[in-house]
Amino acid sequence: MADRVYEALKDDIFEFRLIPGDKFSEGDVGTRLNASRTPVREALYRLQREGYVEVLFRSGWQVKPFDFRQVEELYDLRITLERAAMHKICGLDEEPPAIRTLTAIWNPDHPSERAVGSTARALDESFHCDLVAAAGNREMTRIHREITDRLRIIRRLDFSREDRVEATYVEHAQILEALRAGHAQDAAERLTRHIRASQAAVREITIERIREAAEAHRRGQEIAQESP
């Protein structure tokens, strides 16, 4: 039950049903998810340890407001890990199968075959995670996935822009081309510029934009539910 509550709350945060700064009580969560206080509290403490929520003195819980300094630091760490992965991949005796798979995804035969919306966001996240995993270092992969998890909320706001989707296809294809040619430094530099562009877009994010995204997501769900 605690796992179910944990996953439900995390999904609420990722899908903007709960946004940074929102306050709620353990009773609210229990009633909504039909769970008793013990598993709710266990799930909330787990989310607190992971940095998603914080307990408020005598007033329940709150979705943790964005710490933009921490976001900057997570981006820097992500770049360090992914650059290292580029060099490791180019040093392997054989090209990892994941590289061929990613090349097929990010080099569609026609622009109409490109993914959009949530599918594009998921593919973008998988691209970076799969690249690091292809390097073959399990601890590097684990840490990178934790960073990815922490940045998912804010990255999805960046990826809502059409120009960023277009740029992502072009830049991913260029990174893969450099990797397949064995040009580790070129791949690392291209990947760094790609992530820095996303990081720069993130700096423009405000709580108003987050609320707009939450409202747009809510309206989209209502329309989907009303459709036959």
Side-chain angles (χ1 to χ4, degrees), residues 183-201:
H183 301 154
Q185 188 61 31
D186 184 29
E189 293 300 329
R190 289 181 181 278
L191 181 126
T192 299
R193 289 194 295 271
H194 169 66
I195 298 176
R196 290 295 186 201
S198 175
Q199 187 177 11

Side-chain angles (χ1 to χ4, degrees), residues 10 14 52 144-153:
K10 199 171 183 181
F14 287 156
Y52 293 107
H144 182 267
R145 286 194 178 278
E146 290 177 1
I147 295 170
T148 298
D149 215 22
R150 297 288 296 278
L151 290 173
R152 183 173 295 129
I153 305 169

